[in-house]
Amino acid sequence: MARINSSLKPFETDAFHNGKFIKVSDADVKGKWSVFFFYPADFTFVCPTELEDLAENYGTFQKLGVEIYSVSTDKHFTHKAWHDTSPAISKIKYVMLGDPTGHIARNFDVYIEEAGVADRGTFLIDPEGRIQYIEITAGSVGRSAAELIAKIEAAQYVASHPGEVCPAKWKEGGATLTPSLDLVGKI
């Protein structure tokens, strides 16, 4: 089961990226921060709103050193067709992974067997290939790029500042906490 601090499992798949078909594997992901953004299917309703939101914020993700991998059980050919026909999806510059067998979705425990699609699952992977953040929502509930960016900033801060933790509603530059005996019962 995908859990915090569990390792990215091996995979290799075809993808659509910047007008080309490419191969992507777990080896390509290691060494950098990455987001795996699972969604049920291309040519649907909530999915393009989420993917467009990511596309419109992609520059911020890149400034944070984060690569986005959107993943559905569609083939890479379908990703290209959707990219070529949808104004929202045409904005995408990040990698769109094809997962027609559900292998990657199963690796992250978001595959819905009876439907043959993935849940809406978001996973932040650190440079060591470990999961640092997980969000799974109902199929009818879209996700927000701004909220994801805030979680990434907190995860990156904590990773680079051992011993500190980020409290609720933490924003970049905000106060953090250093857990200690002196803090117990004083928050």
Side-chain angles (χ1 to χ4, degrees):
M1 180 178 223
R3 295 183 187 269
I4 299 298
N5 285 319
S6 63
S7 294
L8 179 66
K9 293 179 181 175
F11 75 91
E12 181 177 73
T13 195
D14 294 310
F16 178 70
H17 186 230
N18 289 331
K20 297 179 182 172
F21 294 132
I22 62 171
K23 291 269 188 201
V24 177
S25 74
D26 55 297
D28 297 313
V29 175
K30 291 187 180 166
K32 60 186 171 193
W33 288 89
S34 304
V35 168
F36 280 73
F37 197 85
F38 290 89
Y39 62 97
D42 292 358
F43 294 100
T44 56
F45 311 103
V46 176
C47 301
T49 66
E50 294 181 310
L51 297 179
E52 181 180 30
D53 188 28
L54 287 176
E56 290 172 347
N57 288 279
Y58 188 52
T60 302
F61 287 103
Q62 289 187 309
K63 285 179 189 169
L64 292 170
V66 177
E67 186 54 67
I68 303 290
Y69 296 94
S70 64
V71 190
S72 76
T73 54
D74 299 287
K75 290 188 174 196
H76 57 297
F77 301 116
T78 309
H79 293 331
K80 180 191 183 316
W82 197 24
H83 190 274
D84 291 350
T85 58
S86 167
I89 301 307
S90 69
K91 297 175 183 179
I92 293 175
K93 302 287 186 230
Y94 51 81
V95 181
M96 299 180 78
L97 299 180
D99 187 26
T101 66
H103 175 74
I104 304 168
R106 283 184 186 94
N107 280 354
F108 284 89
D109 297 312
V110 293
Y111 190 71
I112 305 168
E113 292 290 339
E114 61 276 6
V117 298
D119 275 320
R120 291 189 195 288
T122 308
F123 299 84
L124 175 62
I125 312 296
D126 71 15
E128 288 75 42
R130 294 185 319 254
I131 296 172
Q132 294 301 316
Y133 172 76
I134 299 171
E135 176 185 23
I136 300 174
T137 66
S140 57
V141 179
R143 296 158 285 178
S144 163
E147 290 174 8
L148 177 56
I149 288 166
K151 297 296 183 188
I152 292 168
E153 289 172 339
Q156 290 181 337
Y157 182 89
V158 170
S160 64
H161 295 85
E164 292 184 46
V165 296
C166 295
K169 299 188 270 181
W170 182 84
K171 299 280 187 210
E172 185 73 34
T176 60
L177 300 170
T178 303
S180 70
L181 186 61
D182 296 338
L183 263 179
V184 174
K186 296 188 175 143
I187 296 176

